[in-house]
Amino acid sequence: MLKIENLHVKLEDEEKQILKGVNLEVGAGQVHAIMGPNGSGKSTLSYVLSGREGYEVTDGEAHLGDVDLLDIEPEERAAAGLFLAFQYPVEIPGVGNMTFLRTAVNAQRKARGEEEMSAAEFLKVVRAKAKTLKIDADMLKRPVNVGFSGGEKKRNEILQMAMLEPKMCILDETDSGLDVDAMKLVSEGVNALRSEGRSFLVITHYQRLLDHIKPDVVHIMANGRIIKSGGPELALEVEQNGYADILAEVS
Amino acid sequence: MSAVAETMNVTDERLAGLTLPAGGWSDVARKDALSRVQMMGLPSRRDEYWKYTRPDTLTQAVAVPAALFHNDEAALFDDVERLKIVFVDGVFDADASDDLSLEGVSIEHLATVDADIHWARDIYGVLETNGQKPVERPLAALNTAFATDGVLIHVTGAASRPINMIYLHNSETSDVMLHNVIKLDAGASLTVLETGPAAARLNMVTEVEVADTAAFHHIRAQGRDHERRAATHIFARLGTESVFKSFTLTANGVMTRNECVLELTGDDAKATVGGACVGDGDFHHDDTVFITHDAENCESRQVFKKVLRNGATGVFQGKILVKAGAQKTDGYQISQSLLLDGDSQFLAKPELEIYADDVICSHGSTSGAIDETALFYLQSRGISKPVATDLLTLSFLAEAVDEIEDETLREQINERMASWLERRRG
Ligand SMILES: Nc1ncnc2c1ncn2[C@@H]1O[C@H](COP(=O)(O)OP(=O)(O)OP(=O)(O)O)[C@@H](O)[C@H]1O
Ligand SMILES: [Mg+2]
């Protein structure tokens, strides 16, 4: 599904190398988790994959299926099936959540040559999905993320994901800022989307989330590289001992 | 040539080409206005009040011609239940207009009234003269003297539908002065819609007397002819607990100067003046506002938003004057521009002058580019960059458009702006 090879990334305006050769392959239907110390490059990886400006790829490749991700615009990557749930969802005053969602859904459908969703159908689907995420009608009417609490913003990300039905979902610290109940809600939302044709890359600092969303593989990222990969037990090890042992082991 | 001599030269040349219309009841006001223009002289580049806007094409003897603009877009407010009054290049078109009768409202047009006594005599040129202090507005006095037509509206009750002045532009060389007088009696209410460019060059004055507890709503769309020029003035006086709300939408137009001069003279009055403008290329748009608070517990809001690209220029000069004794004044002023490229510019001069001690006044002026983070967020959801840019542009303008109280009219403005942006995407 997602294949990243030898990815090197530096900041566009600065001589600062952030990713120093990332290799990662997520198979169809799999859930992979990435853990790692602050500043190790996890968010950068997710941004570079989704096409944010400000970064320069100096080497390496990334493919989603047979689509060369690094060559195309962010919206084309989205239409190809990539979705990033932001670590810090963006507030957009003046743009209604509903307008935003419908524009996004239909833009992607159009890009894929599919028929657009009618207003009535869209409303029905979005209401149903919002309900399972306990997002009330009022939040749907408000401008995108404006005045939403931290947890509400994260639930809104999952709602977008549910509406857009991507193939490859990257969740960047979706668990941070969530209370225990919201964490369950979001995990259920994610688990409901799990299917053979859909993969997840879950970036997190805490084992807790992985209790709900069971990963097939756990990677540890440090200093711009994946330094260790293993099964779910790797997350437990991090939770108990921190990163010191793992960092010592590889250096 | 000295500055004064130059100004007088321009003024003389302009006046030489004009003749005072015989106006019956308005004769006195017209003659007075003419002598005031002669005293003041027309604006020149050296005037502080015209620092950011070159007045020459607005003052010169002969107007620069403006090509006519055609497209297949339905006229704005076409499906709104309204009373239409049509002017073609400044000339009243009876056939295209509706019957000028509306319950609780008397409607006439200036050119046909030559009686010696008329209610409008107490307002025509009076509010304009009032508004010449402390800053001179010679183009408005010129208009009072020479306006050839306009609408006289006297509202005694709640008008059942909006009055829509439709100003068509059919001659490339038309040079037009229109003067409207609107009087709302105590408790009356009216919505006035104004649409269209009116002429190659327009000089427009609207005087509005809003009596106690009356409510006046005004929505104007200035027409999309690229080469048209306009200098407009609104002078309004607000009584106790009255409401005045004016919104202007401007797209295109090589030169626009919109002045709005409001005086809050009765306690608890509320005034809002706002505008949204989108300019591309050869476009200069100036909003100049002067609001005087002369009563207690009044509220005024100025909300102006400009989207500029390809070298367009936006200007905002906004002043709130709070007189001694105008306690509990709440004055709000915001003027912002969204610069879509590095060539465009926004010049702002917000001013507060306050002589009362118990007031809240805030003003802010900003100029910025599209928020890259928001743009990326939208793109990452599959929305193309041009569409995302338009969404953010509309959201930027929304704060001004939201000042329109009537939801249907507000939505029409929003839809129109969205369709303009969509058209340019091709
Ligand atoms: N646009 C930028 N400008 C400057 N430095 C940047 C930029 N983007 C990333 N960095 C730097 O690159 C490094 C990696 O950042 P990144 O956000 O990817 O880390 P992270 O692994 O997601 O951290 P966290 O766990 O705290 O979210 C950090 O040192 C960060 O300061
Ligand atoms: Mg991060």
Side-chain angles (χ1 to χ4, degrees):
Chain A
M1 175 73 67
L2 177 69
K3 192 169 183 195
I4 305 165
E5 292 160 284
N6 193 33
L7 189 64
H8 285 71
V9 171
K10 70 180 264 298
L11 289 178
E12 212 167 53
D13 309 328
E14 268 177 65
E15 282 315 307
K16 183 171 175 180
Q17 196 75 32
I18 301 177
L19 300 183
K20 302 167 181 169
V22 174
N23 291 290
L24 183 66
E25 189 168 352
V26 183
Q30 286 192 321
V31 175
H32 286 216
I34 300 188
M35 303 180 81
N38 293 130
S40 56
K42 305 180 296 296
S43 292
T44 301
L45 176 63
S46 71
Y47 287 146
V48 169
L49 291 175
S50 38
R52 186 175 193 146
E53 283 179 18
Y55 302 100
E56 188 185 327
V57 176
T58 52
D59 201 5
E61 287 177 34
H63 287 85
L64 180 62
D66 47 18
V67 177
D68 182 351
L69 283 179
L70 303 180
D71 248 14
I72 55 179
E73 294 298 317
E75 58 268 30
E76 295 171 307
R77 302 181 196 202
L82 185 71
F83 180 90
L84 168 63
F86 282 55
Q87 180 172 2
Y88 305 108
V90 181
E91 296 188 8
I92 312 184
V95 178
N97 218 0
M98 283 291 230
T99 311
F100 161 61
L101 269 174
R102 202 155 86 87
T103 311
V105 167
N106 283 334
Q108 292 203 14
R109 289 190 164 213
K110 213 168 136 194
R112 293 192 213 110
E114 298 165 12
E115 209 175 305
E116 293 190 12
M117 225 185 211
S118 74
E121 189 189 351
F122 172 81
L123 207 64
K124 209 176 97 196
V125 177
V126 81
R127 281 201 181 130
K129 296 198 171 178
K131 201 169 162 205
T132 62
L133 287 162
K134 293 220 163 68
I135 292 174
D136 58 32
D138 175 57
M139 266 171 73
L140 289 175
K141 278 191 216 136
R142 286 194 340 229
V144 180
N145 293 324
V146 175
F148 288 27
S149 74
E152 286 170 346
K153 285 181 183 165
K154 296 301 177 77
R155 274 186 276 152
N156 201 25
E157 294 290 288
I158 302 304
L159 174 65
Q160 291 167 37
M161 186 166 89
M163 289 304 299
L164 294 169
E165 301 182 324
K167 283 193 246 169
M168 180 71 228
C169 311
I170 305 176
L171 276 59
D172 191 358
E173 294 195 30
T174 300
D175 52 339
S176 65
L178 292 181
D179 65 36
V180 188
D181 296 332
M183 167 103 75
K184 242 185 111 205
L185 217 64
V186 162
S187 307
E188 281 163 10
V190 171
N191 287 330
L193 285 171
R194 288 187 67 167
S195 76
E196 270 172 40
R198 183 172 293 130
S199 313
F200 292 84
L201 187 59
V202 180
I203 299 171
T204 182
H205 287 294
Y206 306 106
Q207 150 66 26
R208 221 172 27 182
L209 179 72
L210 305 179
D211 282 341
H212 297 291
I213 308 172
K214 300 244 164 10
D216 299 296
V217 184
V218 174
H219 307 275
I220 307 298
M221 184 170 219
N223 193 19
R225 282 192 197 90
I226 304 283
I227 57 164
K228 189 171 182 179
S229 303
E233 70 286 350
L234 193 52
L236 284 167
E237 188 187 327
V238 168
E239 180 93 349
Q240 275 153 23
N241 307 328
Y243 294 108
D245 292 355
I246 299 170
L247 289 173
E249 184 186 317
V250 290
S251 63
Chain B
M1 201 188 296
S2 77
V4 175
E6 192 182 308
T7 302
M8 289 337 278
N9 207 16
V10 168
T11 306
D12 290 344
E13 278 174 26
R14 178 74 174 114
L15 292 177
L18 294 165
T19 38
L20 274 186
W25 61 271
S26 64
D27 276 345
V28 176
R30 288 177 186 274
K31 284 181 187 138
D32 176 69
L34 174 57
S35 67
R36 287 186 288 119
V37 176
Q38 284 163 333
M39 295 276 291
M40 290 187 269
L42 291 176
S44 86
R45 272 197 91 176
R46 292 183 186 81
D47 293 347
E48 183 63 22
Y49 216 46
W50 290 84
K51 190 170 163 186
Y52 303 125
T53 298
R54 290 186 64 134
D56 46 1
T57 57
L58 299 172
T59 57
Q60 70 199 28
V62 179
V64 185
L68 306 180
F69 180 82
H70 295 289
N71 74 6
D72 50 3
E73 194 171 271
L76 192 60
F77 306 129
D78 235 8
D79 46 6
V80 174
E81 185 67 34
R82 74 218 144 118
L83 188 145
K84 288 185 304 211
I85 305 178
V86 180
F87 290 89
V88 181
D89 293 302
V91 178
F92 176 68
D93 183 339
D95 293 340
S97 301
D98 289 330
D99 182 20
L100 302 186
S101 65
L102 189 61
E103 202 184 332
V105 188
S106 105
I107 308 169
E108 291 158 286
H109 64 103
L110 185 61
T112 56
V113 188
D114 54 8
D116 285 335
I117 294 179
H118 193 271
W119 62 263
R121 198 172 62 174
D122 296 336
I123 302 173
Y124 188 93
V126 174
L127 299 192
E128 175 261 302
T129 305
N130 236 3
Q132 298 285 351
K133 288 179 304 247
V135 192
E136 288 179 349
R137 306 170 200 279
L139 285 168
L142 182 76
N143 179 295
T144 295
F146 294 102
T148 51
D149 211 345
V151 185
L152 309 175
I153 302 173
H154 182 188
V155 196
T156 53
S160 57
R161 52 193 163 124
I163 295 175
N164 187 180
M165 277 90 95
I166 300 171
Y167 306 117
L168 303 178
H169 170 209
N170 280 354
S171 149
E172 290 189 1
T173 54
S174 54
D175 186 14
V176 166
M177 286 195 237
L178 292 172
H179 195 122
N180 301 323
V181 178
I182 301 168
K183 180 183 181 185
L184 289 94
D185 287 353
S189 61
L190 174 70
T191 296
V192 164
L193 310 172
E194 291 186 284
T195 47
R201 178 168 75 177
L202 171 69
N203 177 330
M204 165 92 82
V205 167
T206 300
E207 293 172 293
V208 192
E209 173 86 60
V210 192
D212 298 353
T213 69
F216 178 69
H217 292 264
H218 174 230
I219 300 169
R220 167 169 66 171
Q222 294 189 287
R224 297 179 60 209
D225 301 37
H226 291 273
E227 294 165 8
R228 65 143 189 85
R229 289 162 204 275
T232 76
H233 290 81
I234 295 171
F235 296 94
R237 188 158 62 192
L238 279 73
T240 304
E241 287 177 43
S242 67
V243 172
F244 172 98
K245 277 196 157 202
S246 173
F247 171 86
T248 300
L249 174 66
T250 312
N252 305 345
V254 64
M255 165 64 65
T256 306
R257 163 91 161 201
N258 290 334
E259 296 193 24
C260 186
V261 184
L262 307 180
E263 204 182 350
L264 291 86
T265 59
D267 295 346
D268 303 298
K270 283 190 167 63
T272 301
V273 50
C277 92
V278 273
D280 188 342
D282 202 359
F283 173 93
H284 183 106
H285 183 99
D286 176 335
D287 285 300
T288 290
V289 180
F290 198 110
I291 298 184
T292 305
H293 282 262
D294 196 11
E296 283 188 24
N297 204 30
C298 291
E299 189 186 315
S300 72
R301 295 172 63 78
Q302 301 170 51
V303 184
F304 287 89
K305 299 269 186 160
K306 296 179 169 64
V307 178
L308 306 166
R309 71 175 108 196
N310 290 325
T313 300
V315 175
F316 175 78
Q317 304 190 99
K319 178 156 181 172
I320 306 175
L321 168 64
V322 181
K323 290 201 175 169
Q327 300 297 9
K328 304 258 188 280
T329 288
D330 184 353
Y332 175 76
Q333 178 192 84
I334 183 127
S335 117
Q336 296 181 310
S337 75
L338 175 62
L339 305 178
L340 293 179
D341 53 48
D343 300 336
S344 305
Q345 61 169 345
F346 177 58
L347 306 159
K349 189 179 173 196
E351 281 180 285
L352 295 175
E353 196 177 327
I354 301 173
Y355 298 101
D357 50 19
D358 184 14
V359 302
I360 309 168
C361 277
S362 64
H363 66 109
S365 181
T366 64
S367 189
I370 283 275
D371 178 351
E372 291 293 335
T373 313
L375 190 63
F376 172 63
Y377 190 69
L378 295 171
Q379 284 182 272
S380 79
R381 298 309 184 236
I383 301 172
S384 72
K385 194 169 184 169
V387 175
T389 305
D390 286 355
L391 267 178
L392 294 174
T393 302
L394 287 172
S395 77
F396 168 79
L397 295 169
E399 192 186 345
V401 182
D402 284 348
E403 296 292 333
I404 299 174
E405 218 166 88
D406 185 288
E407 194 183 335
T408 313
L409 298 174
R410 187 171 64 233
E411 273 323 298
Q412 297 220 347
I413 297 286
N414 272 325
E415 277 164 27
R416 193 48 63 101
M417 292 194 310
S419 88
W420 289 343
L421 292 173
E422 197 178 323
R423 266 164 191 264
R424 5 174 339 125
R425 287 204 304 263

